[in-house]
């Protein structure tokens, strides 16, 4: 074939609905993986420097093309509703619990949230952000996040999520809450 | 993420309760439960929930933050209470030690708070990424599935039988052995009634002296059964009055006795 | 937005699975149609002269991007491999229910599993392992397995499906199997 490797890779990335890793690209183009890596570098540089409407990024464990964010306004005019509508707070909470604790069952999610997670989990499943991952010892369906989740949230892998401890309430807040739990009542009794 | 989201206060719901065992604010109740000054087993949590719903209706607005804290606390209390009610190996572990219970409730609240903040972080990521759209055009069908002529056996049929087998398994029944089930049978009560009948007339109270409610019900059922079979007749002068029972006379009684 | 019109049009053409005519592009980008025509000319020239893996063409319905014909061999390597990834637990459960009970409706599958089977069923359809087989008396789509299913599981016919006696010693009539699966599914949901 007379196409350069970079052009061939561009064609494959255009066709693929999923991110493609360097191994898969090398096997498809029948070249060494180092050549693929060099060609991907070339492509990334070109997309950044030339007058293009596409962006090439490494997401969800592979390489994928997307439209340039600055074309979003025109895209919204053309395609009406956004591909990725915002999450409701219940959906976002359920997704966060699944993302950090996966695989995790629906009863566990409900336990943390204090409320049922059924409808939020159903929506996340339907949107392909989470998927089933077997059953717990008690027969409850377990959930985990999908590659689509990583892709839509701009993550290369789950490791890119901040550790859950990053969301710890401040020590002062924790102390304040402890005080309230044990002593707020006493103050009222005294007062 | 902004530091503001981390500093946001956690609020306990500001709720006045008027319960059988307790009168006062919700957080005081919580404190008293944790200090074992109020027995959780005696608190009707459904009433707490109803009070909370009334409270919401009265205010006409929903403070989501406070509502979430309330839900986390009330579900934790429910779980603690149900564990207290169910005997089992777990019982020793959860003597409701005030310190431990408070630690558990606190851990629940902090966990809920943590995941809510994580959720805000994720929503932020999604918003940042919303300008990046991916192409979703289908591949030609021929590229999407294995072609029939070239297909070879790659899956194990045993996997299907195993999946069906798993789905056939009934979940273990909830253990209700600790709930005393009065065992009284119609046959037993029939023989009690028949032995009384052999002595002549009697009143129903004699047949059920010191018996529990289930036994009374089964005895009454047996009485009706014997009446239907023609072995006895009965009368009651007024509602809740004494039920007089007599052996039946007549051909049906003869045949029943035969 | 700071993208050039040509780049914006490239993004729109990339996103659209269908050809787009100049009117639609002009409306989306909120510019005059003459500007769109000029920008399309620029794009065509660039695609022809630069090292690209994509082709921009005007078809009957409008403008469309496609992969370069010379990348076809690599695309075949990538996509035409047998598409037989391992079945997820949800897919295996759904496929087993269809295999043993066929024809079976989606609501029945969901009742037996205790959770929705939509996404698993869609994947099985997409992979050609199951197909639709008319509708139930209540109007629900019925599913059955395909010849490709038999081939991929190494079965000559459905008679060769492994007996379930290994899991259940009493031989079961087909109706009883269905009943018992539904009962177990409902017990799991209730429990």
């Amino acid at each position: 074939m007379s196409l350069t490797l970079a052009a061939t890779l561009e064609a494959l990335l255009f066709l693929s609905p999923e991110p493609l890793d360097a191994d898969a690209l090398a096997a498809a183009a029948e070249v060494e993986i180092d050549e693929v890596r060099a060609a991907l570098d070339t492509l990334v540089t070109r997309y950044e420097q030339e007058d293009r409407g596409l962006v090439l990024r490494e997401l969800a464990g592979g390489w994928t093309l997307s439209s340039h964010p600055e074309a979003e306004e025109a895209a919204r005019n053309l395609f009406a509703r956004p591909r990725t509508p915002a999450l409701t707070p219940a959906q976002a909470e359920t997704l966060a619990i699944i993302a950090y604790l996966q695989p995790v069952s629906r009863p566990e999610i409900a336990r943390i949230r204090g409320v049922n997670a059924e409808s939020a989990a159903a929506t996340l499943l339907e949107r392909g952000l989470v998927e089933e991952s077997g059953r717990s010892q008690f027969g409850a369906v377990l959930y985990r996040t999908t590659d689509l989740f990583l892709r839509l949230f701009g993550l290369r892998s789950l490791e890119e999520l901040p550790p859950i401890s990053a969301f710890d309430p401040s020590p002062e807040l924790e102390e304040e809450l402890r005080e309230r739990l044990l002593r707020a009542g006493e103050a009222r009794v005294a007062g | 993420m902004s530091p503001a989201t981390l500093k946001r206060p956690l609020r306990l719901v500001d709720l006045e309760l008027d319960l059988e065992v307790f009168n006062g604010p919700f957080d005081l109740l919580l404190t008293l439960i944790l200090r074992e000054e109020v027995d959780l087993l005696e608190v009707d949590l459904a009433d707490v929930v109803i009070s909370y719903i009334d409270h919401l209706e009265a205010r006409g607005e929903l403070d989501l933050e406070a509502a979430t804290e309330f839900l986390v606390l009330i579900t934790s209390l429910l779980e603690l209470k149900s564990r207290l009610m169910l005997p089992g190996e777990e019982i020793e572990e959860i003597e409701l030690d005030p310190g431990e219970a408070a630690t558990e409730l606190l851990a629940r609240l902090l966990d809920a708070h943590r995941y809510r903040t994580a959720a805000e972080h994720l929503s932020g990521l999604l918003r940042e990424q919303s300008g990046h759209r991916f192409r979703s055009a289908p591949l030609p069908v021929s590229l999407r599935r294995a072609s029939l002529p070239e297909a070879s056996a790659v899956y194990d049929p045993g996997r299907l039988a195993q999946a069906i087998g798993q789905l056939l398994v009934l979940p273990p029944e909830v253990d209700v052995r600790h709930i005393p089930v009065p065992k009284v049978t119609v046959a037993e009560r029939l023989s009690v009634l028949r032995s009384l009948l052999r002595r002549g007339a009697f009143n129903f109270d004699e047949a059920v002296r010191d018996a529990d409610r289930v036994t009374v019900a089964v005895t009454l059922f047996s009485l009706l059964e014997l009446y239907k079979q023609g072995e006895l007749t009965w009368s009651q002068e007024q509602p809740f009055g004494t039920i007089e029972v007599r052996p039946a006379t007549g051909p049906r009684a003869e045949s029943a006795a035969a």
Side-chain angles (χ1 to χ4, degrees), chain B residues 56-74:
Chain B
L56 285 183
E57 274 185 2
R59 300 190 72 181
E61 58 170 349
L62 182 63
D63 178 342
L64 274 178
E65 189 76 16
T68 315
E69 308 301 358
F70 177 78
L71 287 170
V72 170
L73 285 169
I74 199 79

Side-chain angles (χ1 to χ4, degrees), chain A residues 58-61 147 149-150 154-161:
Chain A
E58 198 178 359
L59 290 178
D147 282 351
F149 159 76
L150 293 175
L155 300 167
R156 253 180 281 199
S157 73
L158 286 170
E159 263 105 77
E160 283 196 351
L161 283 176

